[in-house]
Amino acid sequence: MGTRTFFHQREEEQKEERQHSLQMTSTTRKKKFKTSEQEETFSPSELSIAAALALTSEIPLDYKIRREADILELEQRGQKRIRFGNDMEKLEKEVIWNCRLLRVRADRKALRRKAAEKARMEKEYIELRSGRAPMFWIPLRVHAVWERMEVTLACTVLASPPPQVTWYKNGVRIDPRLAPAGKYKIKNKFGMLTLCISRCSMEDSAEYSVEIKNQYGEAYSFATVLVRKYYGTESGFDSEIYRRELLQNSEGRELKYQDREASLTVACAHKEDEGFYTIHVPSLDGYKEQTTYVFVRDAAAETAGAPGSPLNVKCHDVHKDCLTLSWVAPSDHGGSPVLGYHIERCVAGSEDWVPCNEKPVKTCRHPVLGLTEGQTYQFRVKAVNKQGVSHPSKPSDPVTTYDPSKDKRVTVIQYDEGRTIEILKDDLEGHIKVPLPPTNVHASEVREDYVALAWDEPDPRGKEPLQYYVEKSLVGSNSWQMVNLDMPANAPRFALFDLGKGKSYCFRVRSVNKYGLSEPSLPSEPVTAGAKLAPLPPPSQVLAFRDTKTSVVLQWDKLKDGLEPLGYYIYCRETGTEEWQTVNNKPVTCNEFTVPGLQPGKEYVFCVKSVSEAGLSESSPETDPIVVRPAIACPSAPRGFVLLHCGKTNMTIAWKPPKRKGGAKILGYFLDQHDTAELDWHEVNIQPIPQRVYTVSNLEEGHLYQFRASAVNMAGVGEVSEPSDLFKCEEWTMREPGPPYDVQCFEVRDSSLQLRWEAPLYTGASPVTGYYVDMCEAGAEDWKQLNKQPTATTHMKVSDLETGKCYIFRVRAQNKAGIGPPSLPSDPVVAKTKPGTNEIELGVDEEGFIYLAFEAPEKNDSSEFIWTKDYEGPPDADRVQMEEKGNKSKLILKEPSEKDLGTYSVEVTDVDDEISASRTLTKEDLDKLLKRSHEIRNPLIKLISGWNIDVLEKGEVRLWLEVEKLSPNAELRLIFNDKELTSTPTHKINFVKGKGLVELIIQNFCDDDKGLYTAQLQDGKAKNQFTLVLLDECFDRVAEEADAKRRQWKKKQGPHFIENLKWKVTESCEVLLTCKAANLSKDTSFQWLFNRKARAGGTFDPQTGIGTLRIKKITKADEGQYKAVVSDDRGEDYTQLDLTKGAFEDLLKELCRISALSATPLKIQPTAEGIKIYTDVKYYTDYMKTTWYHKEKQLESRDRLKAGSTMNQVWLHILDPTDADKGKYTLELFDGNNSHKLSTDLSGQAFEDALAEHKRLKEAAIAEKRRARVVQGLPDVATIMEDKTLCLTCCVSGDPYPEITWFKNEKVIVFKDRYKMDVKGTVVTITIEKVCNEDTGKYSIYVKNKYGSETGQVTISVYKHGEIPIGMEEKEITGGVVMKKPK
C-alpha cells in the first residue's frame, strides 16, 4: 500500500492504537473481585497453594536473619525446625495475608486498566468526529481465481469528509460504461469499497489499485488478481471427504485421489459408519460438493428371525473395577420383540470374548462389575428374541480402568521456570488408620433389573487403599444383610441385581482397609426396585415433502415434556405392499431427515420410531402417501441466445430452455435488453413470453444490443441469465437462409440418437431446400458433415456412435443461393443408454385393443406425453385414442390396419433429463397383434390335458380332462350320444372350476357306455368343447381292464398275494423262491407245489406273510412249475412261477454269473502226475461253459492235458510237463451272456518251482509204491488156548524184495524148536506149536528194503482150558484159535 510521506508516521501510530484497542476489546472480560474488606474463607487446596507460594516467594533479609537465629536457638536446645510443625498457625496467618494482598493488587490493576480504556475510546471518538485524511482501515488483498469465476476486491477506508474513489487496472482507470455490460460492479457503502469482476478471463489477470482522496490528503491500496486456467487432469485432483468431520486415512478407512476420481473404502463397515458423506471438490466455478447417504444393512442372521445387531456401544463412569455400558437398540427386531441383550468383554488385543451377564439385560444400559484396575477392555453386545441371537455389535473403543479420584488428590504447583511441587493428600492423611465411614450413599440409577449405588469416599480417606462392603435392608425391618462379602468394591460404585420387584430398600456402606472395618454409613433414602423403564412415545405429526426424483424429506415434531430420545428410526413402505423397509440403521438425532434411494414415480408412506434406553417406541402414525418426484423450485437461468432474424428496428431472438426446470412447467420468460450506448438494462415484456422465440421492436438501427432472460414457473421467477453476445441491429439482406435453431437430441442410446431442430425464420432469397448436419466430439473443433445429400425434414437419426463418447451437433440450412450459417451447437450429449431407460411397449390389452404404452416414473405433475408419428406430428386423432394414467401414457389404435404402420415416438415435457423413446410398428408386428387381439376378443378355454381314461381299483372307469382355471361362473354341459348327462350314482359328474377339472365316473362299465362323450364349457366370453370317442378296440380294451380289476378287487377281499412268486440267486449260489401274501388270519394255510405235487422244504411266516423256498444246489431235476397257494374260509389265491425252458435258462445264467464272479484267481498246484491249474467256485454246473487257453490258443483235452471240474472247482491237469508247457494260461467262464476270464503265468521261476515240486512228488510216489510194506493178514489181537498151534499169516510187498524180521516183545525171535517161519512169495507165515502162557505177548513183523520199512503188529493172548476171554467177540477157527478184536 502506498501513502504520502507526511501522512505515513501518523497512520502508523493510528494503526498501532487501533490494533491495541481491538486486542483489548477482544481479551477484556468482566470479572468480579472481592475487596480486601470482604470476609474470606479458604479451602484446603487454596491453603496448600498459598503455602507453596509462601515457600517460593522472595523472603526479606531481616526475616532470614531472624529465622536463622531461631533455628540456631532451636538447635542449641536439641530440636529441629520443620515447616509443618508447631509453626503451622503462624504460616496460616501469612498465607491469608498474602491472599488478601494479591486480591487488593488485582483490584487496583483492573481499575487502572478500565480507566485507561475509557480514556482511549473517548480520545478516538473525538478524533473521528474531527476532519481527517483518508486511510485504509483494511487494505486490498491478493486474489487467485479460476477462469470464468467471479472475484470481488474489497477494502475498508476511514476519512472525514468521505473521499472520492477511483479504481485502476494496470494504472488505467476502470469505466464500467466502456466495458461489456455487467463486467464491473463498483460499490461504496459505509466506507466499504468493492470492485466485482464477473466471468474472469485470462485478460483479467492484472494489478488493481484504488485511490481515495479528500481535502486532507489521499491514499492508495494495491492488489494483484491472478486468473488461473483449469486444465483438468494436468492440474491434478484435490478433494476432501467429510462425514460431519474431515475424514483421514486410518486402519479401516482408505481414501484415494487419482486423476479425476476420488474414492473412500471402508474395509469392514459397521452400522456406526452409516450416514451422509460429502466430497468437496474444486472446479472451474469454485468448490462443489456432492453428498450421498450410505446405508449399512444388517448382515443375514445365522438364525432366521433373529434381530439385528446393536450399535454405538460406549463406556461411561469408568472406575477401578467397574463401569457402565450403554448401546443403541437395533432398528430390526426380526419379526418378534427383543427380549434382552447379552454383554461380552475381552482384553484389548485378544479375541477371547467372555460373557458379562447370565440373564438377558432388559434395557440398553447396564453396569459391568469385576474388572481389573489398569486393564484395557473392549465390549460388544448381542440382541436376543425368541427366534435367536443376533450378530455381535461392533466392539467398543478400548477403555482402561483407573481411579478417577487420583488426580483430585494431587495438587501440582509450578515455580522457578518449569519446576513443580506435588502435594499428595495421602501424605497429609497418613495418621488415619481405621477408615471413616463413606458419606452420601444414594442410588445413581434405578432400572428394572438393577440398582446402581454411588457414595463419596470418607474425608479424610487415609493413605491405605480402601475397599467397600454394601449392606441392604428392607424398609421397616432392622436387619441388615451384606451383599458383596465375596467381592468387595474397590471404587465408590456398586450395582445390585435380583432385588425384589416393588419392594423398598435402604442401603449403607462400610469402608475397610488393612487396619480394620469402619462404622456403617448413614442409610440411603428408600429405593424401590423393579420399576420398568417405559419406552418413549413415538413422534407425532410426521410429514413428508418432495425433495428430488429419488428422495423425500421427512419432518416430525420433537417429543414433548422435555423427553430426549437417543434418536429416531425411519421406516418406509411402498403403497400396496405390507412389508416395511428400514431407512436408517443408525438413529438420526434431528427431527428432519432426507430419505434417499427411492424409486422415481413410486408412492410411499413413512413412519418413525423413537429410540431410548428402553428400546424402540411404537410406530408413529403413517404419513400421507407421497409420490417420489422433485420438489418444485424456481428454474435456472436460460442460455444460448441466438439471433434468428434482424430488420432495421427489430430483432428476433431465440434461446435455450433452463437446464433445471424446477419440477414444474415453464410458464414463460421475461426478457431484458441493453443498448451498449446506455448504462442500464430495460425490460422488454411485462407479461411472460410463453415461447422461446421473441421479436424485439423499436430498436435503433446500427446500435449494439445485449439480451438476458429469466424463466418463471409456479414457484416463481428464476435466475437471470448471463448477457448474450452483442447483436448489431442491422437489416439482413443475404440470399442464403438464416441459421436453424433449437437443435435438440432425443432418444439417446448407446450407439444412436434422434436429432431435431427448427427451420430458420429467415429463408433468404428462396425457400429452404434441405439441411446438413455436422458433428464433432466435445472439446474438439473438427466438425464432420454426416449427410452427403441434404435432408428435407427437420429431424434425422444419427447412428454408429461410439458408446460413452460425448458429441455436439449443429445444422446448416440450404436454399438455391447456397448454405447459410450454422445453428447454435446443441448441448453436449453422451452416447449411452441411461440406467432405467424405458422403451415403448407394444401389446394388446384385456379388451383386445392394440396399444403402444410408455412409462416415465420421473415425470412431474405438469409433464405431458407428446406422441408423434414418423416425427412429422401427432398421430391422426381419428385413428388413435390417447389415455394417460399416473406415470403411464397409452396410445390405442382404434381400427388397426396398414395405415397405422410407421414409427411412433413419445417425449415427456418439463423434465430436467431428456425422456423419450420410439417404436416402429411393422407389418409383422401388426399381424401378430391382430391375431392376439382376435384371441382375446374371441377367447377359447385353454386345454391343458385332453380326455383321459383311468380304470380305478374297483373296476370303475374314470373319464376326465383338464383345462385352465375357470371362474366360479363357468358352466359345463356333458353330452353322451347326443343326450345330455346328469350326475347319478352310477354316472357321477364332478366339475372342479378352480382347477379346471371335468370328471365322469362310471360304476359298472358295460356295452351301454359305448359311444361319444362331449364336454361343452363356457366361462364368460370364453368357451370350448372337447369330444372323446369310446368305440371298437378302445372300448373293448377299457371294458376288459375294468372287468379284470373288478374281479381282482373281489379276490382281495380274502387272503391274496401282494407280491407274486419270484426267484433270486444268492451270493452263496442258492436259489431262493419268495412271495408275499396279505389279509391273513389265524386259519390261513400256505402250501408249496412243484409240478402239481406238494413240495417240502418251504417256509411261511404268518406275521409278515412272506413264503420262502430255498434250493441249495439246483439241478436239471428242479426244472418245472412252482406254485404257492394261500387259503382259508374266505377264499383262496395262488401265485405261480414257470421255471422251464427259457425261464430256467435265465435262472441258470444268473447262477452261472454269480458263480463266475465268485471264482478265485487261478492257482498252480504241482502233483505227482504233473502240474494242476485250478480255480475255486461256489457252485459249478454243466451249463457254465469253460474254455482253457494256452498262449491265447484254445486247448483241447488229450493225453497230456486233462480238463475237468467238480462241484466247487474247475481245473486243468498238465501231465508230465515240459518246457513247451510254459506260458500264460487263461480260463474263460461263460455264464450264457458274458465271459469272465482268469489268467496266470506258468513260466520263469513259477514254472521252475512247480516242475521241481512235481519231480519231488513223483519220486516220492515211486518210492512209496516200491517201499517195503505189510499188506494184509495180521489181526490186532489173537487169543489161543494152551497146547494149541498158533499160525499167523501175512502178505508183504516191496521192490526189491524186503528183509523180514519177527519180534516178540521187541526182541528178535529165533526160529527153532516150537517157532517156525515159512516164506512163500509174498506170503509169510509164523507157526508156534503147543503154545503156553509164556507165549503171551506182543508180536511184530518188520519188513525193510532200500525204499523204506514197515511194521505189522499182533497181540497174542494164551488162556487155559475152560476160560473164556471177557469183552471179546469169539470166533472159532481151525486149530482152536479165537481171533479177538476190540469192539
Side-chain angles (χ1 to χ4, degrees):
M1 183 178 67
T3 316
R4 292 290 180 92
T5 304
F6 58 87
F7 286 119
H8 178 72
Q9 183 176 0
R10 177 59 179 164
E11 287 185 358
E12 289 295 331
E13 292 175 355
Q14 291 176 350
K15 183 176 180 181
E16 290 178 0
E17 290 176 0
R18 183 170 62 255
Q19 292 178 349
H20 178 70
S21 174
L22 291 173
Q23 182 179 1
M24 292 298 296
T25 304
S26 61
T27 57
T28 303
R29 298 178 180 175
K30 291 185 178 181
K31 295 184 179 181
K32 185 175 181 182
F33 294 92
K34 293 182 179 180
T35 63
S36 57
E37 289 78 17
Q38 291 176 310
E39 187 175 353
E40 295 288 342
T41 58
F42 303 99
S43 65
S45 59
E46 291 176 333
L47 293 175
S48 300
I49 295 172
L53 289 173
L55 289 174
T56 57
S57 61
E58 185 178 353
I59 302 175
L61 182 60
D62 57 343
Y63 175 77
K64 292 181 179 180
I65 296 174
R66 289 197 306 271
R67 183 171 175 274
E68 290 175 0
D70 291 341
I71 292 174
L72 182 61
E73 182 179 358
L74 289 174
E75 288 178 349
Q76 291 175 356
R77 296 178 183 178
Q79 298 179 2
K80 185 177 180 180
R81 172 87 170 178
I82 59 174
R83 177 65 64 183
F84 297 100
N86 297 329
D87 291 344
M88 182 62 71
E89 182 179 358
K90 182 177 180 181
L91 177 60
E92 184 177 1
K93 290 181 180 180
E94 293 179 356
V95 169
I96 294 173
W97 173 254
N98 289 334
C99 289
R100 291 181 177 177
L101 185 60
L102 288 173
R103 281 186 173 81
V104 170
R105 291 177 179 175
D107 289 345
R108 291 175 180 173
K109 188 173 182 180
L111 290 174
R112 284 197 298 271
R113 187 164 56 251
K114 289 182 180 180
E117 178 70 15
K118 187 174 182 181
R120 187 192 60 77
M121 292 178 64
E122 186 70 23
K123 182 178 179 182
E124 184 176 350
Y125 176 72
I126 294 173
E127 289 177 354
L128 289 174
R129 292 190 60 184
S130 61
R132 61 179 299 171
M135 62 166 289
F136 286 95
W137 183 275
I138 299 175
L140 296 176
R141 66 180 182 88
V142 176
H143 286 269
V145 296
W146 292 107
E147 189 180 17
R148 297 177 60 189
M149 288 181 60
E150 181 180 279
V151 64
T152 300
L153 302 176
C155 60
T156 305
V157 299
L158 292 177
S160 181
Q164 180 183 356
V165 180
T166 307
W167 287 88
Y168 297 91
K169 174 183 177 182
N170 289 334
V172 179
R173 180 180 176 181
I174 296 176
D175 188 352
R177 294 175 297 178
L178 300 179
K183 181 65 176 179
Y184 299 109
K185 296 179 182 178
I186 298 174
K187 294 183 181 179
N188 183 359
K189 292 185 178 180
F190 307 106
M192 173 71 74
L193 308 182
T194 58
L195 170 64
C196 181
I197 308 172
S198 64
R199 292 176 297 167
C200 289
S201 62
M202 300 302 294
E203 290 76 13
D204 294 316
S205 295
E207 182 182 69
Y208 292 83
S209 61
V210 59
E211 177 190 45
I212 54 174
K213 62 171 63 175
N214 64 7
Q215 65 265 33
Y216 296 103
E218 60 185 17
Y220 303 94
S221 181
F222 303 92
T224 302
V225 173
L226 176 63
V227 180
R228 301 174 61 186
K229 188 176 183 63
Y230 189 73
Y231 293 98
T233 307
E234 298 177 3
S235 63
F237 185 88
D238 187 19
S239 66
E240 296 173 339
I241 301 178
Y242 297 85
R243 194 193 69 184
R244 292 189 179 179
E245 74 278 355
L246 181 63
L247 299 182
Q248 303 291 343
N249 279 309
S250 63
E251 182 178 354
R253 184 188 301 129
E254 180 183 6
L255 286 85
K256 286 185 179 180
Y257 307 104
Q258 185 176 3
D259 295 335
R260 298 193 177 201
E261 180 177 327
S263 65
L264 168 63
T265 304
V266 180
C268 183
H270 294 85
K271 291 192 284 189
E272 288 82 353
D273 298 313
E274 183 176 306
F276 284 98
Y277 287 78
T278 301
I279 183 168
H280 190 69
V281 183
S283 68
L284 293 174
D285 299 327
Y287 282 93
K288 292 186 178 180
E289 291 184 353
Q290 288 290 333
T291 300
T292 186
Y293 186 82
V294 176
F295 174 72
V296 181
R297 191 180 304 278
D298 269 306
E302 295 180 356
T303 304
S309 60
L311 66 156
N312 285 349
V313 180
K314 295 182 179 179
C315 300
H316 312 275
D317 199 17
V318 182
H319 283 78
K320 292 181 181 179
D321 60 349
C322 63
L323 55 80
T324 301
L325 202 67
S326 70
W327 59 90
V328 175
S331 61
D332 181 17
H333 53 60
S336 59
V338 174
L339 302 178
Y341 303 89
H342 288 306
I343 303 172
E344 297 177 347
R345 75 167 184 259
C346 77
V347 176
S350 73
E351 292 297 330
D352 186 13
W353 292 94
V354 180
C356 296
N357 57 317
E358 296 179 357
K359 299 179 181 179
V361 178
K362 299 297 180 64
T363 60
C364 297
R365 187 179 179 90
H366 196 75
V368 180
L369 307 179
L371 305 179
T372 304
E373 183 178 3
Q375 186 68 60
T376 302
Y377 295 94
Q378 283 184 290
F379 299 86
R380 69 183 187 185
V381 184
K382 298 178 181 179
V384 184
N385 66 4
K386 67 179 182 180
Q387 300 297 334
V389 182
S390 73
H391 289 290
S393 66
K394 176 185 177 182
S396 67
D397 293 334
V399 59
T400 303
T401 54
Y402 71 103
D403 183 5
S405 64
K406 183 177 181 180
D407 295 338
K408 298 180 182 178
R409 297 182 60 79
V410 178
T411 302
V412 179
I413 301 172
Q414 296 183 354
Y415 74 99
D416 195 15
E417 297 181 356
R419 300 177 66 186
T420 60
I421 295 177
E422 290 188 356
I423 302 175
L424 304 178
K425 278 193 175 184
D426 290 350
D427 297 336
L428 301 178
E429 298 172 358
H431 61 284
I432 301 297
K433 301 300 182 184
V434 177
L436 299 175
T439 59
N440 191 24
V441 179
H442 63 281
S444 59
E445 291 184 34
V446 179
R447 293 289 187 270
E448 181 181 0
D449 44 7
Y450 73 91
V451 172
L453 295 180
W455 58 86
D456 295 338
E457 293 182 334
D459 190 16
R461 188 186 74 176
K463 188 174 182 180
E464 299 299 330
L466 289 183
Q467 291 182 320
Y468 304 94
Y469 289 108
V470 179
E471 299 177 351
K472 70 176 180 180
S473 173
L474 278 172
V475 173
S477 68
N478 294 324
S479 62
W480 291 87
Q481 178 185 358
M482 189 171 290
V483 297
N484 63 331
L485 183 61
D486 298 333
M487 188 179 66
N490 294 322
R493 298 288 187 276
F494 192 76
L496 293 93
F497 305 94
D498 300 326
L499 298 176
K501 292 186 178 181
K503 296 181 180 180
S504 297
Y505 295 87
C506 290
F507 304 95
R508 66 184 188 185
V509 185
R510 294 176 183 265
S511 307
V512 63
N513 63 11
K514 71 177 184 179
Y515 295 107
L517 186 67
S518 74
E519 294 295 325
S521 66
L522 294 177
S524 68
E525 295 293 330
V527 178
T528 302
K532 186 175 182 180
L533 186 63
L536 295 178
S540 59
Q541 199 67 18
V542 183
L543 302 176
F545 304 95
R546 291 181 181 176
D547 183 40
T548 67
K549 63 181 180 181
T550 59
S551 64
V552 167
V553 175
L554 288 186
Q555 292 181 352
W556 56 89
D557 292 342
K558 292 185 177 180
L559 301 184
K560 299 180 180 179
D561 301 327
L563 299 175
E564 290 292 339
L566 298 177
Y568 302 93
Y569 283 130
I570 302 166
Y571 303 86
C572 71
R573 173 175 60 84
E574 190 174 338
T575 304
T577 62
E578 297 297 330
E579 183 179 0
W580 288 91
Q581 302 291 334
T582 303
V583 172
N584 60 317
N585 266 329
K586 180 180 179 182
V588 296
T589 55
C590 57
N591 62 331
E592 181 177 335
F593 187 77
T594 302
V595 181
L598 303 177
Q599 294 295 323
K602 299 291 185 180
E603 190 175 59
Y604 292 87
V605 293
F606 301 87
C607 70
V608 183
K609 293 183 180 180
S610 303
V611 186
S612 65
E613 291 182 4
L616 307 186
S617 70
E618 296 294 329
S619 297
S620 68
E622 296 180 6
T623 63
D624 295 332
I626 183 172
V627 178
V628 182
R629 286 177 181 161
I632 297 176
C634 292
S636 60
R639 58 214 163 82
F641 288 85
V642 62
L643 181 61
L644 301 180
H645 188 277
C646 187
K648 291 183 178 180
T649 59
N650 58 73
M651 289 182 177
T652 301
I653 305 296
W655 56 90
K656 293 183 180 181
K659 288 186 177 180
R660 300 186 305 277
K661 299 177 177 60
K665 181 179 181 180
I666 300 296
L667 302 177
Y669 299 88
F670 291 103
L671 190 63
D672 297 338
Q673 70 178 29
H674 174 248
D675 190 340
T676 56
E678 301 177 1
L679 185 61
D680 299 328
W681 287 79
H682 300 284
E683 295 179 349
V684 173
N685 59 308
I686 299 176
Q687 296 298 325
I689 304 171
Q691 296 84 19
R692 288 184 287 109
V693 178
Y694 190 75
T695 300
V696 183
S697 305
N698 300 323
L699 302 178
E700 296 290 335
E701 186 176 3
H703 283 219
L704 296 175
Y705 289 91
Q706 284 180 307
F707 299 91
R708 66 185 184 187
S710 57
V712 58
N713 62 9
M714 61 185 303
V717 180
E719 302 173 2
V720 178
S721 68
E722 294 290 337
S724 68
D725 295 333
L726 293 173
F727 299 134
K728 188 174 183 180
C729 186
E730 186 175 61
E731 184 177 7
W732 284 4
T733 58
M734 56 188 177
R735 298 178 58 82
E736 296 82 7
Y741 67 98
D742 203 14
V743 181
Q744 298 185 52
C745 299
F746 297 91
E747 304 171 25
V748 180
R749 300 298 183 263
D750 286 339
S751 60
S752 65
L753 56 83
Q754 189 72 28
L755 202 64
R756 189 180 67 194
W757 60 90
E758 296 293 335
L761 298 183
Y762 179 78
T763 59
S766 61
V768 174
T769 58
Y771 301 91
Y772 290 99
V773 178
D774 301 334
M775 177 185 75
C776 79
E777 294 185 14
E781 297 182 356
D782 299 330
W783 290 92
K784 176 184 177 183
Q785 184 174 305
L786 297 181
N787 52 328
K788 295 182 179 180
Q789 299 297 326
T791 177
T793 60
T794 56
H795 58 85
M796 189 177 83
K797 184 170 184 177
V798 182
S799 303
D800 300 328
L801 300 178
E802 188 173 344
T803 303
K805 281 198 173 183
C806 186
Y807 297 94
I808 300 176
F809 300 89
R810 70 181 185 186
V811 182
R812 294 172 293 156
Q814 181 186 35
N815 62 6
K816 291 183 179 180
I819 301 175
S823 67
L824 197 67
S826 68
D827 291 336
V829 60
V830 178
K832 186 175 182 180
T833 304
K834 295 180 181 178
T837 299
N838 292 334
E839 301 293 347
I840 294 178
E841 176 190 357
L842 189 60
V844 182
D845 62 16
E846 297 176 354
E847 300 297 327
F849 289 104
I850 298 175
Y851 68 86
L852 293 94
F854 183 74
E855 185 176 6
E858 299 173 350
K859 72 179 284 290
N860 301 321
D861 292 336
S862 60
S863 297
E864 296 179 358
F865 291 92
I866 306 299
W867 287 89
T868 60
K869 183 180 179 185
D870 297 328
Y871 301 103
E872 298 298 334
D876 188 354
D878 295 333
R879 303 198 58 80
V880 298
Q881 177 184 346
M882 296 184 188
E883 293 182 359
E884 185 174 332
K885 184 178 180 181
N887 300 328
K888 193 170 185 179
S889 177
K890 184 183 290 186
L891 190 70
I892 301 175
L893 304 182
K894 294 180 179 180
E895 296 179 359
S897 66
E898 293 187 3
K899 294 181 180 180
D900 297 308
L901 301 180
T903 300
Y904 292 84
S905 61
V906 62
E907 175 192 353
V908 181
T909 64
D910 301 323
V911 290
D912 294 338
D913 296 327
E914 174 266 334
I915 302 177
S916 59
S918 64
R919 180 70 179 265
T920 301
L921 180 62
T922 63
K923 183 66 169 59
E924 183 181 358
D925 293 334
L926 184 61
D927 292 341
K928 292 180 180 179
L929 294 172
L930 288 173
K931 181 179 178 181
R932 177 61 179 158
S933 175
H934 178 76
E935 292 175 354
I936 293 176
R937 292 180 176 179
N938 302 279
L940 290 176
I941 295 177
K942 183 180 178 182
L943 179 66
I944 296 177
S945 178
W947 279 109
N948 295 272
I949 304 174
D950 295 335
V951 180
L952 305 182
E953 183 182 12
K954 296 181 181 181
E956 301 164 320
V957 175
R958 177 178 177 250
L959 310 178
W960 65 277
L961 63 86
E962 185 181 3
V963 297
E964 61 184 336
K965 293 181 180 180
L966 303 176
S967 70
N969 299 323
E971 297 178 357
L972 166 68
R973 292 182 69 231
L974 192 59
I975 309 299
F976 172 62
N977 292 338
D978 298 330
K979 294 181 180 180
E980 184 174 355
L981 290 179
T982 58
S983 184
T984 63
T986 59
H987 293 71
K988 186 177 180 181
I989 300 174
N990 294 325
F991 183 29
V992 185
K993 302 175 183 178
K995 296 182 178 179
L997 180 65
V998 178
E999 182 181 63
L1000 172 63
I1001 299 177
I1002 305 174
Q1003 293 288 342
N1004 299 311
F1005 192 74
C1006 59
D1007 290 341
D1008 295 339
D1009 299 309
K1010 184 186 298 185
L1012 302 178
Y1013 293 84
T1014 302
Q1016 297 179 349
L1017 294 169
Q1018 184 169 359
D1019 188 7
K1021 293 182 179 180
K1023 55 186 177 181
N1024 212 335
Q1025 69 176 24
F1026 310 96
T1027 301
L1028 170 66
V1029 179
L1030 198 56
L1031 297 170
D1032 302 331
E1033 294 181 0
C1034 178
F1035 175 83
D1036 295 339
R1037 186 172 61 255
V1038 174
E1040 182 182 354
E1041 184 178 357
D1043 183 62
K1045 285 200 173 183
R1046 197 159 39 242
R1047 287 187 281 103
Q1048 180 74 8
W1049 180 79
K1050 289 180 180 179
K1051 182 186 72 172
K1052 289 183 178 179
Q1053 303 311 304
H1056 60 277
F1057 287 98
I1058 58 176
E1059 291 183 8
N1060 292 326
L1061 196 59
K1062 58 185 178 181
W1063 60 264
K1064 176 184 177 183
V1065 180
T1066 64
E1067 293 296 328
S1068 57
C1069 293
E1070 297 178 348
V1071 177
L1072 200 64
L1073 304 183
T1074 60
C1075 58
K1076 186 174 182 180
N1079 198 14
L1080 307 176
S1081 68
K1082 62 180 180 178
D1083 298 328
T1084 302
S1085 64
F1086 189 92
Q1087 185 179 13
W1088 285 98
L1089 300 176
F1090 175 63
N1091 292 335
R1092 299 182 180 181
K1093 295 181 181 180
R1095 171 74 182 253
T1099 62
F1100 177 70
D1101 186 357
Q1103 300 296 326
T1104 61
I1106 297 177
T1108 306
L1109 178 62
R1110 186 182 300 273
I1111 305 174
K1112 293 187 177 180
K1113 302 296 182 182
I1114 194 166
T1115 63
K1116 190 69 175 178
D1118 296 312
E1119 182 178 4
Q1121 296 282 343
Y1122 290 84
K1123 186 177 182 180
V1125 180
V1126 60
S1127 62
D1128 58 21
D1129 55 358
R1130 295 174 296 166
E1132 178 181 295
D1133 193 17
Y1134 68 88
T1135 177
Q1136 187 168 319
L1137 179 64
D1138 184 9
L1139 284 183
T1140 60
K1141 298 182 181 179
F1144 190 72
E1145 288 185 3
D1146 292 341
L1147 188 149
L1148 291 178
K1149 287 180 180 178
E1150 179 65 14
L1151 180 65
C1152 294
R1153 185 186 68 83
I1154 294 178
S1155 178
L1157 292 175
S1158 69
T1160 62
L1162 290 179
K1163 300 177 183 178
I1164 300 174
Q1165 181 183 2
T1167 65
E1169 295 79 11
I1171 298 175
K1172 183 179 180 180
I1173 302 174
Y1174 70 95
T1175 178
D1176 294 323
V1177 295
K1178 290 185 178 180
Y1179 181 65
Y1180 176 79
T1181 65
D1182 295 336
Y1183 188 81
M1184 182 187 297
K1185 297 179 181 179
T1186 60
T1187 306
W1188 286 93
Y1189 295 90
H1190 178 221
K1191 297 180 181 178
E1192 307 300 331
K1193 182 180 180 181
Q1194 183 175 344
L1195 297 177
E1196 299 292 342
S1197 292
R1198 53 182 186 267
D1199 294 339
R1200 285 199 320 107
L1201 293 175
K1202 300 293 182 181
S1205 62
T1206 63
M1207 189 170 289
N1208 298 104
Q1209 194 176 85
V1210 180
W1211 48 265
L1212 174 68
H1213 208 162
I1214 306 172
L1215 304 178
D1216 297 329
T1218 63
D1219 289 343
D1221 296 318
K1222 293 181 180 180
K1224 179 181 178 182
Y1225 286 83
T1226 302
L1227 171 61
E1228 182 181 62
L1229 301 174
F1230 183 71
D1231 59 14
N1233 291 324
N1234 299 306
S1235 294
H1236 307 269
K1237 291 184 178 182
L1238 302 171
S1239 299
T1240 188
D1241 189 8
L1242 185 62
S1243 60
Q1245 190 63 36
F1247 179 80
E1248 298 297 333
D1249 294 343
L1251 184 62
E1253 182 65 12
H1254 157 65
K1255 291 179 179 180
R1256 187 187 68 77
L1257 292 175
K1258 184 176 181 181
E1259 292 175 357
I1262 293 174
E1264 181 66 19
K1265 184 177 181 180
R1266 295 182 178 183
R1267 178 174 62 86
R1269 294 183 183 180
V1270 179
V1271 181
Q1272 60 182 3
L1274 290 178
D1276 292 336
V1277 176
T1279 304
I1280 188 169
M1281 187 184 297
E1282 287 181 338
D1283 297 329
K1284 298 290 184 178
T1285 299
L1286 176 64
C1287 183
L1288 298 175
T1289 301
C1290 65
C1291 295
V1292 298
S1293 65
D1295 185 18
Y1297 194 83
E1299 297 177 1
I1300 301 171
T1301 306
W1302 284 89
F1303 293 89
K1304 175 186 177 184
N1305 294 333
E1306 298 181 358
K1307 292 182 179 181
V1308 178
I1309 298 175
V1310 178
F1311 292 96
K1312 64 180 181 178
D1313 299 334
R1314 294 185 299 114
Y1315 290 87
K1316 296 179 180 179
M1317 181 178 68
D1318 184 23
V1319 178
K1320 292 181 180 181
T1322 61
V1323 179
V1324 180
T1325 304
I1326 180 172
T1327 303
I1328 304 175
E1329 299 176 348
K1330 294 182 179 181
V1331 295
C1332 61
N1333 192 40
E1334 293 179 356
D1335 297 322
T1336 299
K1338 184 177 181 180
Y1339 290 81
S1340 59
I1341 181 174
Y1342 176 73
V1343 295
K1344 177 182 179 184
N1345 64 7
K1346 66 179 182 180
Y1347 293 109
S1349 63
E1350 190 173 287
T1351 300
Q1353 294 181 350
V1354 61
T1355 301
I1356 303 299
S1357 176
V1358 180
Y1359 61 91
K1360 295 179 180 181
H1361 294 278
E1363 293 182 354
I1364 298 175
I1366 299 174
M1368 301 294 291
E1369 292 179 302
E1370 297 182 0
K1371 184 177 180 181
E1372 189 172 346
I1373 62 173
T1374 304
V1377 180
V1378 180
M1379 299 299 180
K1380 300 177 182 179
K1381 292 186 178 181
K1383 290 185 179 179

